[in-house]
């Protein structure tokens, strides 16, 4: 992986071809400032201008094309790049979705990953995903999307179709969570034809819903919303997060198919979400 990012940084012209693994002592020093570049449509200067956050997005690493921003963010976090840093790409060639699925990430979308170092245990990780969903939904409301909804746990829906997915990954050392990587994929300035046929009925894009959006403004607004809600999380105001989530729930009150590893799936009624962010379902037999 170190080679992968070294090659990527070389390809992007951000470090000299002379540098190899052997002469790097402090990777954090090496990559200091690499994101201050302007890409085709993601401009770090536009995102940073007037960004009202204390730490989220203060360090931006912007790329034209990477395999997966989550993978890069994981690597960076293990090499001393800290809380609130954000990796953004205009295109991913190996975007990752939940349950080991791949994630379509063509040019025109917003593909980003945030590195967080919250002081939490495992049971609270799902709440970070729910909090991120709320931050995305609020951002979409701010740019004029009416009634974005959150399908448990982490799909953002507009008019019943998915517009954004979230992949949260924890980096652990023994039993301690060292970092949490939150990957967010927003189908922004894309048309439905940019997606494979099998996704076209279930996917929508911001462009389709409200016309072209300003990606940099959207990223900035999202980073601000995310920091606000992560602050609530850090202050243990979990009920406030859940209240915002419930207000926008797509799932509660509907019939859902419950799938669990190694057992048969079944239909149930989605009755609510627990304090831990789990979905509470009722089987037909009560
Ligand atoms: C899902 O709904 O399955 C989650 C999709 C998450 C996609 C984003 S795009 C940015 C980040 N990098 C990845 O490889 N995946 C996440």
């Amino acid at each position: 992986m170190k080679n992968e990012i070294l090659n990527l940084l070389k390809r992007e012209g951000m470090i000299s071809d002379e540098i190899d693994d052997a002469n790097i002592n402090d990777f954090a020093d090496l990559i200091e400032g690499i994101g201050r570049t302007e890409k085709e449509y993601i401009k770090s200067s536009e995102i940073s201008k007037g960004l009202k956050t204390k730490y989220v997005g203060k360090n931006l690493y912007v790329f034209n094309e990477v395999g997966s921003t989550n993978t890069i963010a994981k690597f960076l976090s293990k090499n001393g790049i800290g809380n609130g840093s954000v990796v953004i790409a205009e295109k991913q060639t190996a975007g990752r979705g939940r349950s080991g699925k791949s994630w379509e990430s063509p040019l025109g979308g917003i593909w980003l990953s945030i590195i967080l170092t919250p002081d939490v245990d495992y049971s609270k990780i799902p709440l970070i995903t729910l909090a991120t969903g709320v931050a995305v939904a609020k951002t979409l409301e701010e740019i004029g999307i009416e009634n974005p909804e959150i399908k448990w746990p982490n799909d953002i829906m507009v008019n019943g179709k998915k517009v954004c997915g979230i992949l949260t990954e924890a980096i652990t050392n023994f039993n301690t969570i060292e970092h949490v990587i939150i990957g967010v994929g927003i189908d922004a300035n894309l048309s439905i034809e940019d997606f494979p046929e099998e996704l076209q009925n279930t996917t929508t894009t911001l462009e389709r819903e409200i016309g072209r959006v300003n990606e940099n403004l959207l990223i900035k607004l999202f980073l601000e919303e995310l920091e606000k809600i992560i602050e609530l999380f850090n202050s243990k105001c979990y009920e406030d997060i859940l209240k915002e989530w419930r207000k926008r729930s797509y799932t509660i009150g509907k019939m859902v198919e419950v799938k669990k590893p190694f057992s048969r799936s079944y239909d149930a009624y989605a009755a609510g979400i627990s304090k831990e962010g789990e979905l509470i379902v009722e089987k037909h037999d009560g």
Side-chain angles (χ1 to χ4, degrees), residues 68-70 92 94-98 103 111-113 154-155 162 165-167 183-185:
S68 155
T69 55
N70 263 37
Q92 296 185 117
R96 295 190 282 112
R98 283 173 57 228
W103 178 259
W111 324 120
L112 60 81
S113 302
N154 62 356
D155 292 348
K162 180 163 169 173
I166 298 163
L167 175 68
V184 179

Side-chain angles (χ1 to χ4, degrees), residues 184-200:
V184 179
I186 306 176
D187 299 332
N189 291 326
L190 294 164
S191 73
I192 281 305
E193 290 71 42
D194 293 321
F195 293 89
E197 230 172 273
E198 65 274 16
L199 293 179
Q200 292 185 2

